[in-house]
Coordinates of all heavy atoms in Angstrom, one line a residue:
Y244 N -4.6 4.9 2.5 CA -4.6 6.3 2.9 C -4.8 7.2 1.7 O -4.2 7.0 0.7 CB -3.2 6.6 3.5 CG -2.8 5.8 4.7 CD1 -2.1 4.7 4.5 CD2 -3.2 6.1 6.0 CE1 -1.7 3.8 5.6 CE2 -2.9 5.3 7.0 CZ -2.1 4.2 6.8 OH -1.8 3.4 7.9
S245 N -5.6 8.3 1.9 CA -5.7 9.3 0.9 C -4.5 10.3 1.3 O -4.3 10.6 2.5 CB -7.0 10.0 0.9 OG -7.3 10.6 2.1
V246 N -3.8 10.8 0.4 CA -2.6 11.6 0.6 C -2.5 12.8 -0.2 O -3.1 12.8 -1.3 CB -1.3 10.7 0.5 CG1 -1.3 9.6 1.6 CG2 -1.2 10.1 -0.9
T247 N -1.6 13.7 0.1 CA -1.3 14.8 -0.7 C -0.1 14.5 -1.5 O 0.6 13.6 -1.3 CB -1.1 16.1 0.1 OG1 0.1 15.8 0.9 CG2 -2.2 16.4 1.0
G248 N 0.1 15.4 -2.6 CA 1.3 15.2 -3.4 C 0.9 14.6 -4.7 O -0.2 14.6 -5.2
Q249 N 1.9 13.9 -5.3 CA 1.8 13.4 -6.6 C 0.9 12.2 -6.8 O 0.4 11.9 -7.8 CB 3.2 13.0 -7.1 CG 3.5 11.9 -8.0 CD 4.9 11.7 -8.4 OE1 5.8 12.4 -7.9 NE2 5.1 10.8 -9.2
W250 N 0.6 11.5 -5.6 CA -0.3 10.4 -5.6 C -1.5 10.6 -4.8 O -1.5 11.5 -4.0 CB 0.5 9.1 -5.0 CG 1.7 8.7 -5.9 CD1 3.0 9.1 -5.7 CD2 1.7 8.0 -7.1 NE1 3.8 8.6 -6.6 CE2 3.0 7.9 -7.5 CE3 0.7 7.3 -7.8 CZ2 3.4 7.2 -8.7 CZ3 1.1 6.6 -8.9 CH2 2.4 6.6 -9.4
D251 N -2.6 9.9 -5.1 CA -3.9 10.2 -4.5 C -4.1 9.2 -3.3 O -4.7 9.6 -2.3 CB -5.0 10.1 -5.5 CG -4.9 11.0 -6.6 OD1 -4.7 12.2 -6.3 OD2 -4.8 10.6 -7.8
L252 N -3.7 8.0 -3.5 CA -3.8 7.0 -2.4 C -2.5 6.2 -2.2 O -1.8 6.0 -3.2 CB -4.9 6.0 -2.9 CG -6.3 6.5 -3.0 CD1 -7.2 5.5 -3.8 CD2 -6.9 6.9 -1.7
V253 N -2.4 5.7 -1.0 CA -1.3 4.8 -0.7 C -1.9 3.5 0.0 O -2.7 3.7 1.0 CB -0.3 5.4 0.3 CG1 0.8 4.4 0.7 CG2 0.4 6.6 -0.3
A254 N -1.7 2.4 -0.6 CA -2.3 1.1 0.0 C -1.1 0.2 0.5 O -0.1 0.1 -0.1 CB -3.0 0.4 -1.1
V255 N -1.3 -0.4 1.7 CA -0.4 -1.3 2.3 C -1.0 -2.7 2.0 O -2.1 -3.0 2.5 CB -0.1 -1.0 3.7 CG1 0.9 -2.0 4.3 CG2 0.4 0.4 3.9
L256 N -0.2 -3.5 1.3 CA -0.6 -4.9 1.0 C 0.2 -5.9 1.7 O 1.5 -5.7 1.8 CB -0.5 -5.1 -0.5 CG -0.9 -4.0 -1.5 CD1 -0.7 -4.3 -2.9 CD2 -2.4 -3.7 -1.3
K257 N -0.4 -7.0 2.2 CA 0.4 -8.0 2.9 C -0.2 -9.4 2.5 O -1.5 -9.5 2.5 CB 0.3 -7.9 4.4 CG 1.1 -6.7 5.0 CD 1.1 -6.8 6.5 CE 1.9 -5.6 7.0 NZ 3.2 -5.9 7.3
A258 N 0.6 -10.3 2.1 CA 0.2 -11.6 1.8 C 1.3 -12.6 2.1 O 2.4 -12.2 2.4 CB -0.1 -11.7 0.3
S259 N 1.0 -13.9 2.1 CA 2.0 -14.9 2.5 C 3.0 -15.2 1.4 O 4.0 -15.8 1.7 CB 1.3 -16.2 2.9 OG 0.5 -16.7 1.9
S260 N 2.8 -14.7 0.1 CA 3.7 -15.0 -0.9 C 3.7 -14.0 -2.0 O 2.7 -13.2 -2.1 CB 3.4 -16.4 -1.6 OG 2.2 -16.3 -2.3
N261 N 4.8 -13.9 -2.8 CA 4.8 -13.0 -4.0 C 3.7 -13.3 -4.9 O 3.1 -12.4 -5.5 CB 6.2 -13.2 -4.6 CG 7.3 -12.5 -3.9 OD1 7.1 -11.5 -3.1 ND2 8.5 -13.0 -4.1
D262 N 3.4 -14.6 -5.1 CA 2.3 -15.0 -6.0 C 1.0 -14.4 -5.6 O 0.2 -14.0 -6.4 CB 2.2 -16.6 -6.1 CG 3.3 -17.1 -6.9 OD1 4.0 -16.4 -7.7 OD2 3.6 -18.4 -6.7
E263 N 0.7 -14.5 -4.3 CA -0.6 -13.9 -3.8 C -0.6 -12.4 -4.0 O -1.7 -11.9 -4.4 CB -0.7 -14.2 -2.3 CG -1.1 -15.6 -2.0 CD -1.4 -15.8 -0.5 OE1 -1.9 -14.9 0.1 OE2 -1.1 -16.9 0.0
I264 N 0.5 -11.7 -3.8 CA 0.5 -10.3 -4.1 C 0.4 -10.0 -5.6 O -0.4 -9.1 -6.0 CB 1.9 -9.6 -3.6 CG1 1.9 -9.6 -2.1 CG2 2.1 -8.2 -4.2 CD1 1.1 -8.6 -1.4
A265 N 1.0 -10.8 -6.4 CA 0.9 -10.7 -7.9 C -0.5 -10.8 -8.3 O -1.0 -10.1 -9.2 CB 1.9 -11.6 -8.6
N266 N -1.2 -11.9 -7.8 CA -2.6 -12.1 -8.1 C -3.5 -11.0 -7.7 O -4.4 -10.5 -8.4 CB -3.0 -13.5 -7.5 CG -4.4 -13.8 -7.8 OD1 -4.8 -13.9 -9.0 ND2 -5.3 -14.0 -6.8
L267 N -3.2 -10.5 -6.5 CA -4.0 -9.4 -6.0 C -3.9 -8.2 -6.9 O -4.9 -7.6 -7.4 CB -3.6 -8.9 -4.6 CG -4.1 -7.7 -4.0 CD1 -5.7 -7.8 -3.8 CD2 -3.4 -7.3 -2.8
I268 N -2.7 -7.8 -7.3 CA -2.4 -6.6 -8.1 C -2.9 -6.8 -9.6 O -3.6 -6.0 -10.1 CB -0.9 -6.3 -8.1 CG1 -0.5 -5.8 -6.7 CG2 -0.6 -5.2 -9.2 CD1 1.0 -5.7 -6.5
T269 N -2.6 -7.9 -10.2 CA -2.9 -8.1 -11.6 C -4.3 -8.6 -11.9 O -4.8 -8.3 -13.0 CB -1.9 -9.0 -12.3 OG1 -2.0 -10.3 -11.7 CG2 -0.4 -8.5 -12.1
E270 N -4.9 -9.3 -11.0 CA -6.2 -9.8 -11.3 C -7.4 -9.2 -10.5 O -8.5 -9.2 -11.0 CB -6.3 -11.3 -11.0 CG -5.3 -12.1 -11.9 CD -5.4 -13.6 -11.8 OE1 -6.4 -14.1 -11.3 OE2 -4.4 -14.3 -12.1
K271 N -7.1 -8.6 -9.4 CA -8.1 -7.9 -8.6 C -8.1 -6.4 -8.7 O -9.1 -5.8 -9.0 CB -8.0 -8.5 -7.2 CG -8.3 -10.0 -7.1 CD -8.0 -10.5 -5.7 CE -8.1 -12.0 -5.6 NZ -7.8 -12.5 -4.2
L272 N -6.9 -5.9 -8.2 CA -6.9 -4.4 -8.2 C -6.9 -3.8 -9.6 O -7.4 -2.7 -9.8 CB -5.6 -4.0 -7.4 CG -5.6 -4.4 -5.9 CD1 -4.4 -3.9 -5.2 CD2 -6.9 -4.0 -5.2
A273 N -6.2 -4.5 -10.5 CA -6.1 -3.9 -11.9 C -7.5 -3.7 -12.6 O -7.5 -2.8 -13.5 CB -5.2 -4.8 -12.8
V274 N -8.5 -4.3 -12.1 CA -9.8 -4.2 -12.8 C -10.7 -3.1 -12.1 O -11.8 -2.9 -12.6 CB -10.5 -5.5 -12.9 CG1 -9.7 -6.5 -13.8 CG2 -10.8 -6.1 -11.6
I275 N -10.2 -2.5 -11.1 CA -11.0 -1.5 -10.4 C -11.1 -0.2 -11.3 O -10.0 0.3 -11.6 CB -10.4 -1.2 -9.0 CG1 -10.5 -2.4 -8.1 CG2 -11.1 0.1 -8.4 CD1 -9.9 -2.2 -6.7
A276 N -12.3 0.1 -11.6 CA -12.5 1.3 -12.5 C -12.0 2.6 -11.7 O -12.3 2.7 -10.5 CB -13.9 1.5 -12.9
G277 N -11.3 3.4 -12.3 CA -10.8 4.7 -11.7 C -9.4 4.7 -11.4 O -8.8 5.7 -11.1
I278 N -8.7 3.5 -11.3 CA -7.3 3.5 -11.1 C -6.6 3.9 -12.4 O -6.7 3.1 -13.3 CB -6.8 2.1 -10.5 CG1 -7.4 1.9 -9.1 CG2 -5.3 2.1 -10.5 CD1 -7.0 0.5 -8.5
E279 N -5.9 5.0 -12.3 CA -5.3 5.5 -13.6 C -3.9 5.1 -13.7 O -3.4 4.9 -14.8 CB -5.4 7.0 -13.6 CG -6.8 7.5 -13.7 CD -6.9 9.0 -13.7 OE1 -6.1 9.7 -13.0 OE2 -7.9 9.5 -14.2
K280 N -3.1 5.1 -12.6 CA -1.7 4.8 -12.6 C -1.3 4.2 -11.2 O -1.9 4.6 -10.2 CB -1.0 6.1 -12.9 CG 0.5 5.9 -12.9 CD 1.2 7.3 -13.3 CE 2.7 7.2 -13.2 NZ 3.3 8.5 -13.5
T281 N -0.4 3.3 -11.2 CA 0.1 2.8 -9.9 C 1.7 2.7 -10.0 O 2.3 2.6 -11.0 CB -0.4 1.4 -9.6 OG1 0.0 0.5 -10.6 CG2 -1.9 1.4 -9.6
D282 N 2.2 2.6 -8.8 CA 3.7 2.3 -8.6 C 3.7 1.4 -7.3 O 3.2 1.9 -6.3 CB 4.5 3.6 -8.4 CG 6.0 3.3 -8.5 OD1 6.4 2.2 -8.8 OD2 6.7 4.3 -8.4
T283 N 4.2 0.2 -7.5 CA 4.2 -0.7 -6.4 C 5.7 -1.0 -5.9 O 6.5 -1.2 -6.8 CB 3.5 -2.0 -6.8 OG1 2.2 -1.7 -7.3 CG2 3.5 -3.0 -5.7
M284 N 5.8 -0.9 -4.7 CA 7.2 -1.2 -4.1 C 7.1 -2.3 -3.1 O 6.2 -2.4 -2.3 CB 7.6 0.1 -3.3 CG 7.7 1.3 -4.2 SD 8.0 2.8 -3.3 CE 6.2 3.1 -2.7
W285 N 8.0 -3.3 -3.3 CA 8.1 -4.4 -2.4 C 8.9 -4.0 -1.2 O 10.0 -3.4 -1.4 CB 8.8 -5.6 -3.0 CG 7.9 -6.7 -3.5 CD1 7.8 -7.9 -2.9 CD2 6.9 -6.7 -4.5 NE1 6.9 -8.7 -3.5 CE2 6.3 -8.0 -4.6 CE3 6.5 -5.7 -5.5 CZ2 5.4 -8.3 -5.5 CZ3 5.6 -6.1 -6.4 CH2 5.0 -7.3 -6.4
A286 N 8.5 -4.3 0.0 CA 9.2 -3.9 1.3 C 10.2 -5.0 1.6 O 9.9 -6.2 1.6 CB 8.3 -3.7 2.4
F287 N 11.5 -4.6 1.9 CA 12.5 -5.5 2.2 C 12.6 -5.8 3.7 O 12.7 -6.9 4.2 CB 13.9 -5.1 1.8 CG 14.1 -5.0 0.3 CD1 14.5 -3.8 -0.3 CD2 13.8 -6.0 -0.5 CE1 14.7 -3.7 -1.6 CE2 14.0 -6.0 -1.9 CZ 14.4 -4.8 -2.4
K288 N 12.4 -4.7 4.5 CA 12.6 -4.8 6.0 C 11.6 -3.8 6.6 O 11.4 -2.7 6.1 CB 14.0 -4.5 6.4 CG 14.3 -4.7 7.8 CD 15.7 -4.6 8.2 CE 15.9 -4.8 9.7 NZ 17.4 -4.7 10.0
S289 N 11.1 -4.2 7.8 CA 10.2 -3.4 8.5 C 10.9 -2.8 9.7 O 11.6 -3.6 10.4 CB 8.9 -4.2 8.9 OG 8.2 -3.4 9.8
Y290 N 10.7 -1.6 10.0 CA 11.2 -0.9 11.2 C 10.0 -0.4 12.0 O 9.3 0.4 11.6 CB 12.1 0.3 10.8 CG 13.3 -0.1 10.0 CD1 13.3 -0.1 8.6 CD2 14.5 -0.5 10.6 CE1 14.3 -0.4 7.8 CE2 15.6 -0.8 9.8 CZ 15.5 -0.8 8.5 OH 16.6 -1.1 7.7
S291 N 9.8 -1.0 13.1 CA 8.7 -0.7 14.0 C 9.1 0.6 14.7 O 10.3 1.0 14.7 CB 8.4 -1.7 15.0 OG 9.4 -1.8 16.0
S292 N 8.2 1.3 15.3 CA 8.5 2.6 16.0 C 9.4 2.3 17.1 O 10.3 3.1 17.4 CB 7.2 3.3 16.5 OG 6.5 2.4 17.4
Q293 N 9.3 1.1 17.7 CA 10.3 0.7 18.8 C 11.7 0.6 18.2 O 12.6 1.0 18.9 CB 9.8 -0.6 19.5 CG 10.6 -0.9 20.7 CD 10.0 -2.2 21.4 OE1 9.3 -2.9 20.8 NE2 10.4 -2.3 22.6
D294 N 11.8 0.0 17.1 CA 13.2 -0.1 16.4 C 13.8 1.2 16.2 O 14.9 1.5 16.4 CB 13.1 -1.0 15.1 CG 12.7 -2.4 15.4 OD1 12.9 -2.9 16.5 OD2 12.2 -3.0 14.4
I295 N 12.9 2.1 15.6 CA 13.4 3.5 15.3 C 13.8 4.2 16.6 O 14.9 4.8 16.6 CB 12.3 4.3 14.5 CG1 11.9 3.5 13.2 CG2 12.8 5.7 14.3 CD1 13.1 3.5 12.2
D296 N 13.0 4.1 17.6 CA 13.4 4.8 18.9 C 14.7 4.3 19.4 O 15.5 5.1 19.9 CB 12.3 4.5 19.9 CG 11.0 5.3 19.6 OD1 11.0 6.2 18.7 OD2 9.9 5.0 20.2
S297 N 14.9 3.0 19.3 CA 16.2 2.5 19.9 C 17.4 2.9 19.1 O 18.5 3.0 19.6 CB 16.2 0.9 20.0 OG 16.2 0.3 18.6
M298 N 17.2 3.2 17.8 CA 18.3 3.7 16.9 C 18.8 5.0 17.4 O 20.0 5.4 17.3 CB 17.9 3.8 15.5 CG 17.7 2.4 14.8 SD 17.0 2.5 13.1 CE 17.9 3.8 12.3

Side-chain angles (χ1 to χ4, degrees):
Y244 301 94
S245 59
V246 295
T247 62
Q249 148 179 1
W250 298 94
D251 302 306
L252 296 167
V253 175
V255 178
L256 317 175
K257 289 186 182 267
S259 60
S260 71
N261 286 333
D262 287 340
E263 285 185 35
I264 291 286
N266 183 57
L267 172 67
I268 293 169
T269 61
E270 296 185 21
K271 298 173 183 175
L272 300 182
V274 299
I275 295 176
I278 293 180
E279 297 176 329
K280 181 180 177 182
T281 65
D282 191 3
T283 305
M284 299 169 282
W285 258 251
F287 294 129
K288 185 173 180 178
S289 172
Y290 299 91
S291 72
S292 59
Q293 186 175 18
D294 292 339
I295 300 295
D296 289 345
S297 69
M298 289 171 50

